[in-house]
Amino acid sequence: MPDSSGQSCVPVVDCKVSELKPLPADDVCAQVLENIHSTQAQKDAACGSLTPELKDGIACFSDKLSHTNDIVSGNPIPLKITSDIRDIAYQAHLREIWDKMKALVALDDDPVQKNACAARRSEIAAEKGCNNAGPYSSDSCETASAEGQRSHCIKSMPASPSPNDAQHTQGKAFDASDYYTVAPLQAALNLRSPPETISQFLDAPTNCNLIWGGTFKTNKDFVHFYAP
């Protein structure tokens, strides 16, 4: 193709990072989860049920939050669940978004590749919810998604797409909104005397039997809750 002066040709450089793989057309669960307009009933029908232990944990957590006020609004903190059960194909999709953004950011020191990958990075950033290799750091991701814009708002590296690693694929885990639930809860707990952690909140006086991802030793996941 011609260069900017139109006098000579420069080679076309392809982006090293491939585009996201399309979700399987015959995977009903993955297709329903990808549709931002799907109802919770449609998701449950397509992807299966949560374990009884997780359902009990959700009910317990929700009850505790109903008696815990947001320090800003003064209203009870809602339990806003952003994701629960998903299948292996959709788990692989989320992990691919995370991994490919990381690969794209690694090209920042290569001006040629950075330019060649600009459009791809923009596409994947829209899916991930931020234009960086780590978690999103702005509330705008969740508020935009609430207004109907497609973004997963991935807060931590998704587990590998394996039933042994991905608790979501077993119906044993859910993610709560950082903006609407986790951050307001931690702010309220910080003001208690003595301050409490989210794990302490979940354990007493009633034990919800939920493990909070903020206690993970590696790859801490502050929006993740798991019923063993």
Side-chain angles (χ1 to χ4, degrees), residues 10-138:
V10 294
V12 175
V13 178
D14 292 328
C15 177
K16 291 180 179 179
V17 180
S18 61
E19 62 185 355
L20 292 173
K21 298 173 185 176
L23 290 165
D26 60 350
D27 190 317
V28 178
C29 176
Q31 293 295 334
V32 167
L33 291 178
E34 186 67 0
N35 182 353
I36 197 168
H37 300 296
S38 294
T39 65
Q40 188 60 46
Q42 289 173 316
K43 295 175 184 178
D44 293 343
C47 301
S49 300
L50 306 179
T51 64
E53 293 80 6
L54 186 61
K55 289 180 180 178
D56 289 345
I58 289 172
C60 176
F61 191 12
S62 182
D63 180 66
K64 288 191 175 192
L65 287 172
S66 71
H67 302 289
T68 309
N69 289 343
D70 184 329
I71 63 174
V72 176
S73 69
N75 298 321
I77 297 170
L79 176 54
K80 180 176 175 58
I81 295 176
T82 58
S83 177
D84 48 43
I85 192 169
R86 62 181 75 117
D87 65 3
I88 292 295
Y90 208 66
Q91 184 71 29
H93 173 63
L94 298 179
R95 181 59 181 266
E96 183 187 15
I97 291 169
W98 180 276
D99 289 344
K100 287 194 170 174
M101 177 54 77
K102 183 177 180 180
L104 287 163
V105 171
L107 299 175
D108 279 351
D109 293 332
D110 183 337
V112 174
Q113 272 297 305
K114 184 177 180 179
N115 182 64
C117 294
R120 183 142 304 149
R121 181 163 173 172
S122 178
E123 292 167 2
I124 294 178
E127 288 270 347
K128 185 171 184 277
C130 64
N131 194 23
N132 56 273
Y136 70 92
S137 58
S138 171

